[in-house]
Amino acid sequence: MNIITNTEQLDIVCAELAREPFVAVDTEFMRETTYWPNLCLIQMAGESHEVIVDPLADGIDLGPFFRLMADEGVVKVFHSARQDLEIVYQRGDVIPAPLFDTQIAAMVCGFGEQIGYENIVRKLAGAQIDKTSRFTDWSRRPLSDKQLKYAISDVTHLRTVYRKLKTELEQSGRAPWLKEEMATLTSPDTYRAEPAEAWRRLKFRARNKKALGVFIEVAAWREREAQERNVPRNRILKDDALSEIAVHAPADAASLRQLRAVPRGFADSRHADRLIRAIEEGRARDPSSLPDVADDRGGPRENVGVLGDVLKLALKVVCEREGVAAKIIASAAELEMLAADDNADIPALKGWRRQLFGETALALKHGKLAIVIDGKRPRIVARDETYAEAAE
């Protein structure tokens, strides 16, 4: 097996791959004990080349790999690309483009919700992957032949999957749909871990704007701490501790010490001072600079009533009819936002999703369409058709 362990070898093989129409790429990494992923292996396969790159080899410079990833003349093929792209962006300050994510392509083609690599390989390549090496420690050297065989199979089979999905997208006319999805994946904003935005990834129901302000600042504090110390976020404080701190807004170490979700001894540590300052900054935030807080008398689910359930059924009907995975169109939360607001800022009201489902959903909301049961299957029809059927 061709294992690249020095920059000269990597430069040669990347130059060869740059002449290929596409290159299938995968990475193996470890991040259980770190904030930033530790890149342990890179696998690449073109039409006629298959290589494994060892990023941990002494003295190797990954520059040729990053230049290949930036080469717009070569399509970069990944399966479930987001974490791989995050690593490439963090290490090389580049996002692979043009990009083809086979997991998203499979959802567009109706292969189910976020189909796993093993399943799509079995369906499209007719191959079975030995998964026993999947959760091994990729940072240890030397790697076994079994590990290397598993690693390279992640890209050799990906070539076949890519070709078949590409053909299906072109024949169905859905290639532009995938292009829209890739625009999000290839945006640097997708991978910038900005501390000020950390709160958006967390679940917290703010009772008032004061609590929300504190939550935003302590989430940013935790993100900065995790980045600086290169440890997982929960090694700093767990999510439930951030929520409790936001609700009670302790002003000093003594008050912090009283909170159940805060680990014993943390309030007396050197890190507590910066947390207290973050709490103070949160309490001092201008309420007008903060997002609106949900009404405590009821969340979106209570406000939209049965309409959210109607839109869920409509989504199921449309996706079954069109052969598209429902999850790529809209989540349950997004459907409730749509039920509450015709102009909700959600993907279902933009681009190809709006054409496929969004316009239908809005028409249902405003009584222009209806859902009827045809035999045992639901069907979306014009209201005039519904009345005509009822009269018959």
Side-chain angles (χ1 to χ4, degrees):
M1 192 170 295
N2 190 8
I3 303 176
I4 305 300
T5 58
N6 63 64
T7 308
E8 183 179 1
Q9 293 174 326
L10 181 60
D11 196 25
I12 292 171
V13 77
C14 286
E16 293 172 344
L17 286 169
R19 292 191 285 270
E20 303 269 13
F22 71 88
V23 56
V25 189
D26 188 38
T27 67
E28 307 296 343
F29 56 90
M30 305 289 291
R31 70 183 312 169
E32 286 79 3
T33 61
T34 61
Y35 179 92
W36 305 107
N38 180 25
L39 181 59
C40 301
L41 216 61
I42 301 170
Q43 307 96 276
M44 294 186 288
E47 291 277 16
S48 55
H49 296 81
E50 303 168 4
V51 298
I52 289 179
V53 182
D54 185 357
L56 303 182
D58 290 340
I60 192 168
D61 179 356
L62 296 180
F65 168 71
F66 296 129
R67 287 192 291 275
L68 176 63
M69 293 298 98
D71 187 340
E72 295 189 359
V74 183
V75 176
K76 270 65 71 173
V77 181
F78 291 80
H79 184 83
S80 187
R82 189 167 183 133
Q83 290 190 81
D84 299 301
L85 299 191
E86 178 189 0
I87 294 170
V88 174
Y89 180 69
Q90 184 254 323
R91 288 286 299 268
D93 195 29
V94 63
I95 295 178
L99 178 70
F100 190 105
D101 187 323
T102 55
Q103 185 180 69
I104 295 176
M107 293 172 73
V108 169
C109 292
F111 283 88
E113 309 288 335
Q114 293 184 314
I115 187 169
Y117 182 65
E118 293 82 7
N119 289 334
I120 198 68
V121 165
R122 187 171 61 253
K123 289 183 177 182
L124 293 183
Q128 191 74 33
I129 294 177
D130 181 0
K131 298 185 288 184
T132 57
S133 296
R134 184 176 181 181
F135 297 108
T136 58
D137 185 347
W138 294 102
S139 65
R140 292 186 178 182
R141 295 296 183 270
L143 294 171
S144 68
D145 288 342
K146 187 176 182 181
Q147 286 176 302
L148 295 172
K149 183 178 179 181
Y150 168 82
I152 200 65
S153 71
D154 275 351
V155 289
T156 54
H157 296 310
L158 193 55
R159 295 182 295 199
T160 303
V161 171
Y162 164 67
R163 294 188 194 103
K164 292 192 174 183
L165 287 173
K166 181 173 181 288
T167 298
E168 186 161 342
L169 286 169
E170 290 170 349
Q171 291 177 347
S172 66
R174 294 181 178 182
W177 298 8
L178 185 68
K179 188 175 181 180
E180 283 189 37
E181 300 311 296
M182 296 305 97
T184 299
L185 273 179
T186 54
S187 169
D189 292 340
T190 303
Y191 307 100
R192 291 187 182 122
E194 300 290 350
E197 299 298 311
W199 68 279
R200 297 185 186 276
R201 296 189 297 269
L202 304 172
K203 292 182 179 180
F204 176 65
R205 185 172 177 79
R207 298 177 181 176
N208 51 58
K209 286 202 170 186
K210 176 182 173 182
L212 180 59
V214 173
F215 186 74
I216 290 172
E217 293 299 331
V218 297
W221 161 82
R222 185 180 71 168
E223 198 76 9
R224 289 192 297 269
E225 290 283 322
Q227 291 178 358
E228 291 171 10
R229 292 155 61 181
N230 194 23
V231 297
R233 298 176 183 91
N234 284 345
R235 291 280 185 91
I236 307 297
L237 279 180
K238 295 187 182 299
D239 293 354
D240 59 345
L242 299 189
S243 298
E244 189 175 5
I245 288 169
V247 170
H248 294 282
D252 50 39
S255 301
L256 187 61
R257 202 178 296 120
Q258 301 303 312
L259 301 185
R260 295 180 62 182
V262 175
R264 183 174 300 177
F266 179 87
D268 301 310
S269 71
R270 58 189 177 87
H271 305 294
D273 289 342
R274 286 196 282 189
L275 171 58
I276 295 297
R277 286 198 295 273
I279 296 170
E280 292 172 352
E281 291 171 2
R283 294 177 60 159
R285 287 194 60 155
D286 180 358
S288 65
S289 70
L290 299 170
D292 290 333
V293 175
D295 191 334
D296 285 340
R297 292 171 296 180
R301 183 69 183 90
E302 294 177 38
N303 294 335
V304 300
V306 74
L307 183 54
D309 293 329
V310 171
L311 293 182
K312 289 176 187 176
L313 177 57
L315 179 61
K316 186 175 187 296
V317 171
V318 169
C319 289
E320 287 183 354
R321 184 186 69 210
E322 300 294 336
V324 181
K327 191 167 185 177
I328 200 173
I329 305 294
S331 66
E334 289 167 347
L335 290 176
E336 291 183 351
M337 292 171 65
L338 175 55
D341 182 4
D342 284 2
N343 299 305
D345 185 16
I346 57 174
L349 291 181
K350 300 173 184 176
W352 66 270
R353 290 180 178 85
R354 186 181 183 106
Q355 294 177 5
L356 189 75
F357 172 72
E359 293 292 348
T360 297
L362 291 173
L364 273 168
K365 277 188 66 176
H366 296 287
K368 297 177 182 178
L369 296 176
I371 298 178
V372 299
I373 303 300
D374 187 357
K376 293 184 178 180
R377 297 179 64 84
R379 185 163 59 94
I380 299 173
V381 299
R383 284 195 67 187
D384 290 344
E385 182 180 344
T386 305
Y387 294 143
E389 289 176 352
E392 292 175 3

